[in-house]
Amino acid sequence: VYKVHKVHKVYKVLYEPYNFINLINEKKLRFFHWNKFSKIKPFSYFCKKENRMKKIYTLPELENMLTCQGEEENRLYSESKRIKNETIGNNVYLRGLIEISNICTKDCFYCGIRKSNTETARYALSDKEILDAADFAYTHHFGSIVLQGGERSDKAFVDRITRLLQEIKKNSNNELGVTLSLGEQTEDSYKRWKDAGAHRYLLRIETSNPELYAKIHPNNPLHSHATRLRCLESLQRCGYQTGTGVMIGLPFQTITDLANDLLFLQSMDIDMVGMGPYLEHHATPLYEYRHLLLSLQERLRLSIHMVAALRILMPDINIAATTALQAIEPAGREKALEIGANVVMPNITPTTNRTLYKLYENKPGTHEGAAESMRKLEESILKSGCKVAYGVWGDSRHFQSRTEN
């Protein structure tokens, strides 16, 4: 009855007339797709009012969302915008981004701050610089900050982050929300940071396809797809609002990969997502495959489609309008906010260090002060038809419903 097709640790199980797509990792089976329709429906079918409750999509239907053009594309954007406004409203939540260090133990093939990149001058913000940036966010009513940095897991680093979290919460009267994006850690470290005041964590999977993951990372235990997945599960066990994300338009990546990424996010019951176009960096191994890339405009368009499709698939999660969208087109973030995103991360890293945290080239806003960056961002949000939600954490509604059930 069942036909099982094994590709490394990913399995597809097909059973007619039902279609299940499963992800198996470390003997754990997750059902993340169930299609009860005998034929693939065009996206316009689901836009009809009488069919809006049918929220289950096949892989080909998601692929159609990602590649549609003309009127179908307009319907995709209209539907994702409608779902966003009806489910979570048009508020945009601020996460002041503090890039605490570009020192990293990882050697990912796509990243400009990879360990082996000798062209990058390394830095680490002082405690005072980090606390001053957090204070800027607090006094300007951002609601939340993000501490992001190159990946380290040594005791001194873990202890320092714990201490900084406690200071940030104390200095803000426990009013400033804190998201961490500091890579793979032990579950004990995640627990320590949660107890110290962090309540969200972003750990991007980059791709849910283990074969593609292996092509964009070194082949060693430090760069394991299975470890990445285990860390996401650890974060959920620790009680974090858990976020992840993917790069869009990678060399070797297919539309099917991206559609499966969407299903992966749904299967993991993720609370928040940060995803954007892959932008190459000349000092990385992946740069030699730039001839395989889609054009920048095609990567931007595909990223906007991913945001729209994800909003339809997971109506109540938080979705970030990433800076990489703006790197391709000044209004890139506005487009994402208009059709589905509801979080932005203005960079409040000191300008003297901001140019050194280059995951990709042509990163926007590297020379703008925090105040100027915020002014432009507010204008951008208003142009998208949204409004800035000052002074609130903007927690994921999906997390609230997931933990209540």
Side-chain angles (χ1 to χ4, degrees):
V1 177
Y2 288 86
K3 295 185 291 181
V4 181
H5 308 277
K6 180 177 179 182
V7 183
H8 289 278
K9 292 184 179 179
V10 175
Y11 295 70
K12 291 184 179 180
V13 181
L14 304 179
Y15 175 67
E16 298 298 339
Y18 300 98
N19 175 22
F20 296 88
I21 300 174
N22 310 279
L23 176 69
I24 296 179
N25 180 63
E26 300 300 316
K27 299 181 181 179
K28 185 170 185 179
L29 173 65
R30 292 180 179 273
F31 288 98
F32 60 91
H33 193 131
W34 177 18
N35 173 42
K36 64 181 180 180
F37 303 109
S38 58
K39 295 181 180 179
I40 297 170
K41 305 292 191 297
F43 178 70
S44 54
Y45 170 86
F46 295 98
C47 294
K48 295 177 181 178
K49 190 172 183 179
E50 64 271 21
N51 295 322
R52 283 177 180 171
M53 294 305 294
K54 299 184 175 76
K55 298 181 184 298
I56 302 165
Y57 297 93
T58 66
L59 187 67
E61 282 160 355
L62 288 172
E63 291 171 336
N64 288 342
M65 287 191 203
L66 300 182
T67 57
C68 64
Q69 299 180 29
E71 286 303 310
E72 284 286 296
E73 181 180 60
N74 291 337
R75 280 192 286 267
L76 173 70
Y77 293 161
S78 295
E79 183 68 357
S80 61
K81 182 177 181 179
R82 180 193 68 79
I83 288 174
K84 175 197 168 187
N85 289 336
E86 289 183 3
T87 307
I88 59 173
N90 70 339
N91 282 343
V92 174
Y93 302 105
L94 303 179
R95 314 276 191 252
L97 178 62
I98 307 172
E99 296 161 333
I100 65 172
S101 175
N102 67 353
I103 299 169
C104 191
T105 60
K106 292 292 189 77
D107 230 359
C108 307
F109 292 160
Y110 49 82
C111 184
I113 65 168
R114 63 194 302 266
K115 181 181 178 181
S116 296
N117 182 8
T118 56
E119 297 181 21
T120 296
R122 303 294 171 170
Y123 78 90
L125 296 184
S126 67
D127 286 7
K128 183 179 185 304
E129 287 173 317
I130 294 170
L131 294 173
D132 284 349
D135 186 62
F136 174 90
Y138 177 57
T139 57
H140 287 76
H141 310 292
F142 275 29
S144 294
I145 59 170
V146 180
L147 299 184
Q148 178 177 286
E151 194 162 317
R152 289 176 54 187
S153 56
D154 54 278
K155 184 179 184 301
F157 179 77
V158 173
D159 290 346
R160 184 186 184 217
I161 297 300
T162 304
R163 185 176 67 254
L164 284 167
L165 286 168
Q166 292 167 341
E167 284 293 313
I168 290 168
K169 299 300 281 188
K170 177 184 174 183
N171 293 348
S172 67
N173 298 312
N174 205 37
E175 294 176 13
L176 196 61
V178 182
T179 302
L180 297 179
S181 183
L182 300 172
E184 297 167 9
Q185 306 289 337
T186 65
E187 190 160 322
D188 180 64
S189 294
Y190 289 145
K191 287 177 181 176
R192 284 186 62 189
W193 292 346
K194 179 75 164 52
D195 292 341
H199 73 290
R200 304 188 199 98
Y201 203 106
L202 177 66
L203 179 66
R204 288 178 34 144
I205 192 73
E206 305 302 1
T207 175
S208 62
N209 182 345
E211 289 185 329
L212 180 56
Y213 192 93
K215 289 180 179 179
I216 62 175
H217 294 90
N219 181 21
N220 60 46
L222 191 61
H223 299 82
S224 164
H225 189 262
T227 299
R228 206 75 165 174
L229 290 174
R230 283 197 295 269
C231 284
L232 285 172
E233 292 174 344
S234 290
L235 289 164
Q236 290 178 322
R237 281 195 299 271
C238 290
Y240 282 94
Q241 292 178 46
T242 304
T244 190
V246 298
M247 286 186 288
I248 300 161
L250 283 162
F252 321 115
Q253 189 180 56
T254 67
I255 292 296
T256 300
D257 287 330
L258 290 170
N260 270 320
D261 287 341
L262 293 171
L263 293 170
F264 166 81
L265 297 172
Q266 186 183 48
S267 77
M268 288 292 295
D269 221 5
I270 287 299
D271 305 306
M272 55 190 198
V273 171
M275 60 183 178
Y278 163 70
L279 299 174
E280 61 271 32
H281 190 292
H282 76 278
T284 62
L286 215 55
Y287 190 69
E288 69 174 283
Y289 300 102
R290 61 192 181 279
H291 62 285
L292 300 177
L293 296 174
L294 298 171
S295 70
L296 286 173
Q297 283 301 317
E298 287 174 316
R299 276 176 269 170
L300 174 63
R301 184 164 171 265
L302 187 54
S303 298
I304 299 298
H305 279 228
M306 283 283 286
V307 169
L310 182 59
R311 177 57 68 197
I312 292 167
L313 201 62
M314 302 186 73
D316 59 352
I317 67 169
N318 281 349
I319 302 176
T322 59
T323 307
L325 297 167
Q326 187 186 6
I328 296 178
E329 185 177 303
R333 279 194 304 196
E334 294 173 23
K335 291 182 177 180
L337 290 171
E338 185 178 352
I339 56 89
N342 68 321
V343 170
V344 291
M345 296 183 288
N347 198 330
I348 57 174
T349 306
T351 52
T352 51
N353 301 103
R354 205 178 295 178
T355 57
L356 300 177
Y357 198 89
K358 283 194 173 180
L359 308 182
Y360 51 83
E361 296 183 349
N362 302 315
K363 181 181 176 182
T366 53
H367 299 287
E368 292 176 352
E372 175 67 7
S373 176
M374 189 56 222
R375 184 189 65 78
K376 289 185 176 180
L377 179 61
E378 187 170 24
E379 290 179 0
S380 173
I381 291 170
L382 293 175
K383 284 180 183 178
S384 70
C386 302
K387 61 181 181 181
V388 182
Y390 285 108
V392 293
W393 286 6
D395 286 338
S396 167
R397 292 194 184 184
H398 185 81
F399 172 78
Q400 294 167 2
S401 61
R402 176 169 68 84
T403 52
E404 287 172 1
N405 295 335

